[in-house]
Amino acid sequence: QSQGLALDGLTEHNRMFVDVPAGATGLNVTASGLNASQSNGLEIDLHHVAFDSAFGEAPFASPAPGGTPDATASGSGGNGPSLSLSGGTLQTGRYYVVVRNALPTAASVTVQAGVDFTQTNVPVKGNLLVSVNRGGIGQGIDYQPIGSAHGLIWYTYTPDHMPTWYLSAGVAPVGDIWNSDLLRFTNDGTTDALSRVGRVGVTELAEGDSIFSWTLFGESGSERMGILTGADTNPCPTIDNQVTSISGFWGKAQTGLGGASVLMTDAVHAEVHYMYTDTGIPVWLQVIGASGDNLIMTQFSGDCPTCQTTGIASADVGLLGFEYTGTSSAEWNLDYMLNNPLSGDIDRDDTVVKLSDIRACD
């Protein structure tokens, strides 16, 4: 991945980082200017921090630590600085890439970093994930394997506290770092329109332990993520006397209707339904309960990913009826009326299918 930035003369940037999980075989970092003179004036340092010490200011990156860098390089001969770590010099953890402009004039800088792998060490089994550094923020991601790809839905809030969702999908990587474009969808009643609003990355550290990093509308953040409480062991529910794998992405795969993240175990049944208001704006509702023919659908308001925390509010807005008949088929009845300032009144029966891979029952 590459990152562009502008650096005034005789200044540095000290909050860029690369996360290196266990199993990585190499780290390569380069910096270049707009021309040979700017490249000659650039310097880069690498500073290592253990993951357990890297999230003190989450979702924002802390400044790089001081002291002697793990590696350093300067530009010369018209080429910018370049650093590579491998073997015994490469450690698991977060590497800060400190970039300095040693010239008295401003420079246009491109920093590029790559992490090498020979194989994937942590399987993506599919889970609802929430921040372990910022509990109670009422938002998270659903990260699922879909054939040869990975899919991610981010349930969060807008700066005016309304629930919203973003979607990302891309080919599964070789290794434990996945990156893809982040997309926002709207719908005019007949056609989905999408726009690229940023990038997301998931770094797998171990099963149930990952890092979710993003750039959204020009703002960036990073969270240490864990599995939503209640889904830790993933026992599948028994349906019609048969242990059945239900958890994952579900939907009608029809334009304008959205879908849901479903978590169903023997003890927990939770769903997050992503859909649109009657003006085509993306919104989500949550349902949670142990059992029953209908579950209450709740609308939340909260804080955007990088906004100051002000708290979560909720209101019950309808009911979800459901019948899961197997690993790949189900029936929903959605009956809800969105709370002001959102608008939408739905009473609809849907036949839905599993959109993500069928998960193994632990």
Side-chain angles (χ1 to χ4, degrees), residues 28-166:
N28 311 288
V29 181
T30 63
S32 59
L34 189 63
N35 51 46
S37 176
Q38 290 186 4
S39 294
N40 285 340
L42 295 178
E43 301 170 350
I44 55 175
D45 295 338
L46 295 182
H47 291 265
H48 176 267
V49 174
F51 285 131
D52 288 345
S53 303
F55 296 92
E57 296 185 27
F60 305 108
S62 304
T68 304
D70 291 74
T72 187
S74 301
S76 63
N79 298 310
S82 177
L83 287 172
S84 294
L85 299 179
S86 61
T89 62
L90 182 64
Q91 304 177 68
T92 298
R94 175 164 288 186
Y95 279 92
Y96 282 90
V97 183
V98 178
V99 184
R100 284 188 301 277
N101 177 12
L103 299 176
T105 55
S108 175
V109 183
T110 299
V111 180
Q112 183 158 325
V115 181
D116 300 326
F117 295 88
T118 58
Q119 63 183 17
T120 297
N121 292 287
V122 182
V124 176
K125 294 186 175 181
N127 282 299
L128 288 167
L129 303 171
V130 294
S131 173
V132 300
N133 307 108
R134 298 193 299 158
I137 59 174
Q139 55 188 283
I141 63 173
D142 191 356
Y143 184 46
Q144 298 282 344
I146 308 173
S148 61
H150 294 169
L152 181 148
I153 301 176
W154 186 8
Y155 299 103
T156 183
Y157 304 96
T158 65
D160 58 356
H161 306 287
M162 293 298 98
T164 192
W165 52 270
Y166 304 98

Side-chain angles (χ1 to χ4, degrees), residues 12-39:
E12 70 177 25
H13 191 298
N14 65 353
R15 292 182 188 248
M16 279 187 293
F17 60 86
V18 185
D19 289 328
V20 178
T25 58
L27 168 64
N28 311 288
V29 181
T30 63
S32 59
L34 189 63
N35 51 46
S37 176
Q38 290 186 4
S39 294

Side-chain angles (χ1 to χ4, degrees), residues 10 151 153 184 196 235 252:
L10 305 177
I153 301 176
R184 179 178 186 264
R196 180 182 179 276
K252 199 169 183 177

